[in-house]
Structure formats: C-alpha cells, structure tokens
Amino acid sequence: MKKKWWNEKIVYQVYPRSFKDTNGDGIGDVRGIIEKLDYIKSVGVDMIWISPIYKSPMKDNGYDISDYYAIDPIFGTMEDMDELLLKAKQKGLKVLMDLVVNHCSSEHEWFKKALKDPKGPYGDYFIIKEGKDGKAPNNWRSIFGGSVWEPIKGTPYYYYHTFAKEQPDLNWENPQLRREIYDMMNWWLKKGLGGFRVDAITYIKKDPSYKSLPADGADGLAALSEVSSNYPGIEVFLKEMREETFDVYDAFSVAEMSGVDAAKLREYIGPDGLFSSIFDFSYMELDVELFQWYRPVEVNATMVKEKLFESQSMAQEAESFLSVVLENHDQPRAAEKWFPKQVGYESQTMLATMNLMLRGIPFIYQGEEIGMTNSTFSDIREYEDIMLWGQYDRAKKEGCTEEECLDMANRRSRDHARTPMQWDDSEQAGFTTGKPALPVNDNYRTINVKKEEREGSVLDYYRKLTALRKSDEYRELLTYGEIYPALEEEKDVIAYERVRDGKKLLIVLNFLGENQKISLGNEERKIVLSNYKTEESCFGQVELQPFQALVLA
Ligand code: GLC
Ligand code: CA
C-alpha cells in the first residue's frame, strides 16, 4: 500500500467561536488560536481543523458563508489568519479549513443577484423552481426541519435549501459555479493549508426528477436521504473537484459523507480515492432514532461493536482510512450519549482509548481531551443551536410535552459542544474577559486545562494515548496495522487486535460502569497502557474495573 503523508496524523478540531477570546468581545478569535498553538501541540496532535471563520451572518455559526475570500471581523483579519498559518507551520502543525460548498449564505453576492433575476446567470448558481398550485415544488424535508423550499417573494419561484433557509444550496450542475468553487479552494490551498474538512458534501447531487415522496412524519414531509444523500452521479463532481484542487497541492481532504457503502469505499477513499478520508459517523448517533432527537435510545456495547467493526473491516478491505471521531461541534459530549449517568474520567478515557487505537485518522474535539461535559439549561430558550429549533417543532408535532423537549435539548443540542473552552478556574473559565454568548459550563472550576495539567487526569491520559500512537515502537502498527475484533463472546466488552509484521496489540474496553470478569487466555501479556493503576502484565482470568481500558502487548 502506498503511504500518504496524512495517514499518521492526529487531528484537533477547533471551534473558534468558543475556543479563546483575546479582545473581550465574548467571541473566540483567530488570535486566540494562535495563542493556544503550543497547548494544542502539547496534546500530541499534528493537524488542526478550524470550523468556519469566513465572513458570515452567523445564522448557523459560520456554516453560512457570505464571502469565501474574507475572514469574518468577529474572528479577526486575513493578516491574523496568515500569521496563524505561519506560526502553525513553524510548530509543525498542518491547518485544515472547513469547506462549505453545498450551500452558501443568503447574504452572499451570488444569491442577492439570483433573487433579483431568478432566471438569470446567478439564478442558475442556485436551485430555483416554480411552485405547484401555489405550493412548494415537492415535500422534501430540510435537515433543520420544515420544507427544503422557500418562496422567492413576488415570483412564482422557490429556492432549495438542505439546511436553514438562510443557507441556499449551490447548483453543482452549473459548470461556471463549480469553476468558482475550485478557484476559491486553490486560492486557499496556495496560502499553505494542509487541506479541507469538507462540509455536507454528500448533498450536492439531487434526484433530478424532484418528485415528492410518501410523507414519513406528522409534518407531511419526507426525509431526503434517498433523493439527495450521496445520490448517483455525485462521483463525477467529486472527481473533478479532486483533480482541479486537492491533487494539485497534495492536500488532505476529509468529507462529511455518511452512508457510503462497502462496495464504493475504495472508489471514495481508497489509494486513489475521491477524498483522503471520510468521517465514520456510523456509531455517532446510536443514542437517538434517525434525525429524531426526541426519541432517545439506550446505547450498549453490542450496538457499538456491530457498527464499529463493520466500518473498520470495510475500510481495511478497501485499503482506506476512515476518520475516527468521538465528538465534534454537532454532537453532545460522547460519554453523555453513551453513559448518561456515569460521565467521568473512567468512561471518558475508556472511550478515548477505543477511538485512538483504531485504524484510521483520529480526531479530537476541543474540550474532549479535558473531559468537558454537557451543560444543563433550565430554559430551552437559552439554547442558540438552529438545529434544535427544527427538532423542537417536530417534537411538538409528534406530541412531546415542553418538559420532554427540554430534556431533549439537555441531552442532544449541538450547543453542548459549543460552550466556552474551559482554560482555568478564573471568571469565565479564562475564555474571555467579556461575556460569552453561550454560558460557561458550571463545572469549570473543577474541569479546566490548568487543573488537568497533572498526572492521572483525562488530559494526561490523552497525551499518553497520542504518544503511544506516535511512539517508534507502535506507530507503524497503530497506523497501518490490521484490525480484528477480539473476545467476541464477551457481551459488554469491546475488544480488538491490531496486527502488523508479527507485532500485536490487544485493546480491551469494559463497556460497563461495574466490574467484569473476563478470560484472556494463558499467554502472559504486558500492559502497555491502562486508565487504572495496574500490574505490569496480566493473563488468565482478569477482573476489569468499571470502564477499564487495557492496551496489551
Ligand atoms: C455540517 C456541519 C454543521 C452545519 C451543517 C450545515 O453538518 O458540521 O455544523 O450546521 O453542515 O452546513
Ligand atoms: Ca474575540
């Protein structure tokens, strides 16, 4: 297999808005990222993904871009960005930006021109169709809730939006538009980016018939998964994009693109894939029914194993590298979803072990490495998350009470990952001298970076994991080694082996918050790492502590 420069990387995701504020306006900024580069590096990562900082009206916190060539003033200036790129490079950190090109903002020049002349050249940069009998062209439901169609006032036309109405979809069928996108990407890549995290790219191709579907909810609408998620023909656009951009700069690209099936994985992310990698979200949302946050599901080891090993084995068969991830800015904190009543050092470090020992490119989301948790709000109106409001409307239509809705928000809102990063125990957790938009989590005095700078902390354990992954002894094995499920008869244990060139590691994870006896066989094994103080080796009958993780040679 041909090795790529990114195979060995570990990525740290920064959500700039809530990372570090340097001018007291309550909003994190580019200078804040610059200030914290040494900290980021100290976690043991070598690449940073920065969520969008382009000019934006911030309806979806920057995932609605009004100018791809400008930094939003709330985050800083282009000079700040250039300085960030330079300093990151000096420290050996690659930088990925977020590429949001399924849609732009309704404030983008292109869209303003389109509204003035829906049938003109800029109208064709978007998806604009005539309504039917005074109604929307079809009944597809947007990801954030409600119809994908929004009427254009004073005309018989509607425009299409996969997400919020302030995020009109770009028409990828238009070659001129595609050219504009590639030029913009190259403009950024030329500045020295390591590559892009590619947002929502799965939606760029739509079923050209735009036919209505049988309704699947009380709102009379239908999910668009079948008609616009990874729709056949999308590969043509993706291949062109790769050749016009990533290939030219040998750039890394990781796509947000769920549901690529095994048969297609090689084409998508194999040695000559359309992208370098895609995120494995297959076990990210096991705690709720599909797109329905108001319908919680209890997660157990069997459910996780099934998804996890399915993706891992499909990736290795296709000589591909998935990006493996526990948390991001769209998810509540991981332990909260999996073990809602047992969130703490043990459950968090056990999950971290699972993620960082997998075959794939591990991502760590800001705050995950210090064990940050969800916030609990007493009033649903305290939430900012635009997606929550769509879920709220649906929950109401499906008959949920206000109390159930609040419970849903406290479990599931994306804001749980978006509260300010907790740096120390001073006012506002050292995030800002001003007032942050989303309140700092109440637990900032006990959970913060400064406190975590000690042996035995979550942070300390994350550093041990990244160091192990980078160690001379295990780097090759942990990067390229094959993966096989192990101890499959143990229902509440997730275990797997990594194997390469006669070397092996066995990873054993107790998925329960209670002791569990397992049988390891008679061969004595060295304990390379554990989230508990342990003996140096083990064999035979072993009693695992609650959420104990073992990495065994
Ligand atoms: C992706 C982003 C999410 C955003 C959406 C629309 O899913 O991760 O935060 O809301 O795309 O751009
Ligand atoms: Ca600021």
Side-chain angles (χ1 to χ4, degrees):
M1 205 191 73
K2 218 169 94 202
K3 293 183 176 173
K4 304 274 173 60
W5 66 260
W6 53 77
N7 291 342
E8 287 181 12
K9 301 290 182 209
I10 304 176
V11 188
Y12 187 89
Q13 182 191 352
V14 172
Y15 195 69
R17 189 179 165 77
S18 52
F19 190 60
K20 173 72 189 169
D21 174 25
T22 56
N23 64 352
D25 64 358
I27 303 167
D29 40 52
V30 177
R31 300 223 67 83
I33 307 175
I34 297 175
E35 198 176 287
K36 295 296 184 185
L37 282 175
D38 285 329
Y39 168 73
I40 295 174
K41 184 141 171 106
S42 81
V43 179
V45 305
D46 28 35
M47 188 132 82
I48 317 175
W49 153 29
I50 304 175
S51 279
I53 47 177
Y54 311 86
K55 192 149 192 280
S56 162
M58 303 290 160
K59 290 289 175 200
D60 186 20
N61 286 359
Y63 283 91
D64 47 323
I65 298 171
S66 54
D67 185 352
Y68 290 95
Y69 291 93
I71 301 293
D72 196 279
I74 67 169
F75 294 127
T77 63
M78 194 59 81
E79 287 70 48
D80 295 335
M81 186 60 198
D82 290 337
E83 185 179 329
L84 170 61
L85 289 173
L86 182 72
K87 296 233 161 98
K89 188 167 178 206
Q90 287 164 350
K91 295 177 197 295
L93 290 164
K94 298 254 186 192
V95 176
L96 307 177
M97 282 182 83
D98 219 305
L99 179 71
V100 190
V101 289
N102 170 69
H103 46 270
C104 60
S105 158
S106 49
E107 301 284 308
H108 195 287
E109 275 308 309
W110 297 337
F111 192 67
K112 290 188 188 158
K113 289 182 187 157
L115 285 186
K116 284 203 191 107
D117 182 11
K119 289 284 110 180
Y122 284 97
D124 197 50
Y125 273 32
F126 297 89
I127 300 170
I128 295 179
K129 296 205 179 297
E130 223 168 301
K132 276 194 189 139
D133 315 320
K135 285 206 218 98
N138 68 28
N139 72 341
W140 300 358
R141 181 190 299 114
S142 81
I143 304 289
F144 287 167
S147 169
V148 295
W149 298 102
E150 185 67 17
I152 302 179
K153 279 195 197 92
T155 77
Y157 301 114
Y158 289 71
Y159 70 87
Y160 183 106
H161 57 91
T162 303
F163 295 91
K165 65 176 190 317
E166 295 86 355
Q167 294 166 297
D169 277 39
L170 291 164
N171 177 18
W172 274 73
E173 307 291 340
N174 180 327
Q176 180 62 34
L177 178 265
R178 299 204 300 278
R179 187 70 258 158
E180 300 244 27
I181 291 175
Y182 307 149
D183 288 348
M184 176 275 287
M185 290 169 68
N186 287 335
W187 187 83
W188 279 104
L189 287 168
K190 217 168 157 186
K191 275 186 181 284
L193 288 187
F196 287 106
R197 175 268 187 185
V198 189
D199 184 74
I201 199 74
T202 195
Y203 298 110
I204 61 173
K205 180 91 186 175
K206 283 89 175 162
D207 175 347
S209 77
Y210 286 92
K211 59 174 191 283
S212 276
L213 300 166
D216 62 16
D219 56 4
L221 302 174
L224 45 69
S225 332
E226 295 292 307
V227 281
S228 122
S229 180
N230 210 0
Y231 196 78
I234 191 173
E235 319 79 58
V236 180
F237 298 150
L238 299 182
K239 181 156 183 284
E240 185 185 75
M241 172 162 72
R242 185 196 78 189
E243 288 168 355
E244 296 284 340
T245 63
F246 307 133
D247 278 359
V248 183
Y249 292 88
D250 192 23
F252 174 75
S253 58
V254 51
E256 193 187 30
M257 183 155 221
S258 305
V260 175
D261 55 53
K264 291 225 159 149
L265 206 64
R266 184 178 289 270
E267 180 191 349
Y268 276 74
I269 55 168
D272 294 305
L274 299 169
F275 294 108
S276 315
S277 183
I278 52 184
F279 290 110
D280 183 10
F281 291 143
S282 64
Y283 45 95
M284 273 302 240
E285 305 205 343
L286 291 173
D287 61 308
V288 285
E289 287 184 22
L290 187 65
F291 294 137
Q292 300 171 73
W293 292 355
Y294 43 90
R295 300 222 162 102
V297 173
E298 206 174 302
V299 183
N300 61 44
T302 311
M303 292 154 65
V304 178
K305 277 195 264 198
E306 196 197 318
K307 297 287 184 196
L308 178 74
F309 292 132
E310 189 189 320
S311 340
Q312 286 282 316
S313 70
M314 125 183 151
Q316 86 182 353
E317 268 160 41
E319 292 179 274
S320 351
F321 285 80
L322 290 166
S323 286
V324 290
V325 42
L326 287 175
E327 295 182 0
N328 63 31
H329 65 292
D330 291 329
Q331 295 287 325
R333 297 294 177 174
E336 301 269 3
K337 292 187 291 193
W338 305 35
F339 315 108
K341 297 194 181 73
Q342 296 158 304
V343 179
Y345 170 85
E346 289 79 11
S347 55
Q348 290 164 334
T349 50
M350 183 275 286
L351 288 176
T353 316
M354 177 180 99
N355 200 47
L356 276 137
M357 298 292 103
L358 286 174
R359 189 181 168 287
I361 301 163
F363 278 61
I364 299 170
Y365 177 69
Q366 71 181 45
E368 175 188 327
E369 80 283 12
I370 57 164
M372 279 179 62
T373 68
N374 285 2
S375 286
T376 303
F377 295 162
S378 52
D379 187 338
I380 195 164
R381 278 164 303 208
E382 287 177 64
Y383 285 96
E384 280 192 335
D385 177 7
I386 189 170
M387 186 160 183
L388 175 66
W389 301 115
Q391 288 287 325
Y392 178 80
D393 286 343
R394 277 197 78 192
K396 282 292 193 138
K397 289 201 179 95
E398 303 287 341
C400 294
T401 62
E402 275 303 321
E403 208 181 324
E404 285 163 337
C405 289
L406 180 61
D407 168 65
M408 164 181 86
N410 282 333
R411 266 186 301 107
R412 250 290 156 191
S413 170
R414 303 188 299 173
D415 283 343
H416 294 299
R418 301 175 180 189
T419 60
M421 178 72 181
Q422 293 161 213
W423 294 103
D424 57 41
D425 61 7
S426 68
E427 190 93 359
Q428 308 293 6
F431 162 71
T432 180
T433 53
K435 189 175 173 298
L438 276 175
V440 168
N441 191 310
D442 292 338
N443 62 19
Y444 75 93
R445 283 193 190 82
T446 45
I447 300 178
N448 62 60
V449 172
K450 200 165 159 211
K451 268 230 153 88
E452 290 284 305
E453 293 284 0
R454 64 177 167 89
E455 226 178 286
S457 67
V458 179
L459 178 58
D460 179 51
Y461 190 77
Y462 263 85
R463 286 176 174 152
K464 288 189 172 132
L465 284 168
T466 53
L468 184 63
R469 225 186 140 99
K470 300 276 172 186
S471 66
D472 288 343
E473 191 162 5
Y474 294 113
R475 187 176 56 236
E476 282 277 313
L477 169 72
L478 286 168
T479 308
Y480 301 101
E482 311 230 294
I483 181 166
Y484 300 103
L487 308 179
E488 287 177 278
E489 61 295 346
E490 305 286 353
K491 179 163 99 17
D492 294 307
V493 169
I494 294 188
Y496 56 85
E497 245 176 2
R498 301 294 313 271
V499 184
R500 183 173 167 92
D501 298 336
K503 243 192 207 174
K504 258 191 203 171
L505 282 177
L506 173 65
I507 290 84
V508 180
L509 310 160
N510 179 1
F511 233 63
L512 293 182
E514 51 197 69
N515 290 27
Q516 249 198 103
K517 285 207 181 72
I518 59 162
S519 174
L520 278 182
N522 291 329
E523 185 193 338
E524 181 160 358
R525 295 171 188 268
K526 181 177 157 216
I527 300 179
V528 178
L529 184 64
S530 175
N531 55 353
Y532 279 83
K533 286 213 169 69
T534 55
E535 316 284 313
E536 281 179 11
S537 65
C538 63
F539 68 97
Q541 285 282 111
V542 172
E543 177 152 13
L544 296 175
Q545 307 287 309
F547 297 121
Q548 184 163 16
L550 287 169
V551 179
L552 305 170

